[in-house]
Amino acid sequence: MEDKFTQIECFLNVCDELVEGKFILADTKIGELLRCIAASTELTNLFGAVTDGFDYAAAKKLYLRFPAEKGAAHGTAYLPKERGDVLAFVFCLLAEIDAGALKIGDFLLRYFYEDGSYTASYALFADRMIRPFRDIVRDCFPDCGRRGRLAALRKKEADALGLLTEKISTERARVASAVLSAEDKGAGESILAELYAAAGRGDIPEIRALSFGYGYFLSAVGLSAGAYPDILELVRKLTAEQE
């Protein structure tokens, strides 16, 4: 079961990279995407089912169109209305690109022309074709999609907490070397030590409360902001992710 989820998450991650990525990596990522499908029994079964009886040649004539005017250089690409046909059409299109039978640069400038730029044309293609393709597959495996989103959120939170501890350590060193009374230094260290411990536990409400308390401390003793704005920004991100 874990392997099943891992393989599908791998596929969805590569889809994300295609949607958010750049033209220069498209060929490589498309090949990687097809390998993810081949490695997953569930995905192989899904695409086998949607392509069974699917007439790709007829679909290309229907969904890749040119204007009626003779000599038109740029056409328009459409997607089928049925979700299964969307999967079949985009899958076959990606397989044709991966096989080298269809050059992605020529395809983009022909059907997704945007200022003559590969970069802009690829962005349009990724948004109009890869994004719905990915979303339909994600809907087919809702448990996997939720796991992936939760894992991504956990990673973002862990990264933010790690950076927060670095900023707190910087502030502890700054307070220790500041020209302050022993009492004020002790108060600042006490707040920062508790803030550091809360970050280690991932206790967002306590982190938020202590960070505000540290702000009042800085104002009270007349110490410059130092890394405090960075700390507040990280706390804001952590709080937003929990809402």
Side-chain angles (χ1 to χ4, degrees), residues 156-177:
K156 283 179 66 177
E157 182 176 293
D159 290 346
L161 288 169
L163 186 55
L164 180 60
T165 58
E166 292 178 14
K167 297 297 181 182
I168 296 168
S169 295
T170 299
E171 282 299 286
R172 293 177 80 172
R174 189 171 76 98
V175 169
S177 62

Side-chain angles (χ1 to χ4, degrees), residues 143-229:
D143 289 341
C144 181
R146 283 193 290 270
R147 282 163 52 99
R149 288 190 290 274
L150 286 172
L153 285 173
R154 284 195 294 269
K155 184 180 185 305
K156 283 179 66 177
E157 182 176 293
D159 290 346
L161 288 169
L163 186 55
L164 180 60
T165 58
E166 292 178 14
K167 297 297 181 182
I168 296 168
S169 295
T170 299
E171 282 299 286
R172 293 177 80 172
R174 189 171 76 98
V175 169
S177 62
V179 181
L180 296 172
S181 68
E183 183 179 1
D184 285 342
K185 283 188 179 184
E189 169 58 24
S190 177
I191 296 171
L192 289 169
E194 290 298 323
L195 183 55
Y196 189 93
R201 295 191 303 272
D203 188 336
I204 310 301
E206 187 171 352
I207 289 171
R208 188 169 183 272
L210 287 166
S211 66
F212 291 152
Y214 183 62
Y216 285 117
F217 165 79
L218 292 177
S219 296
V221 300
L223 201 58
S224 63
Y228 184 58

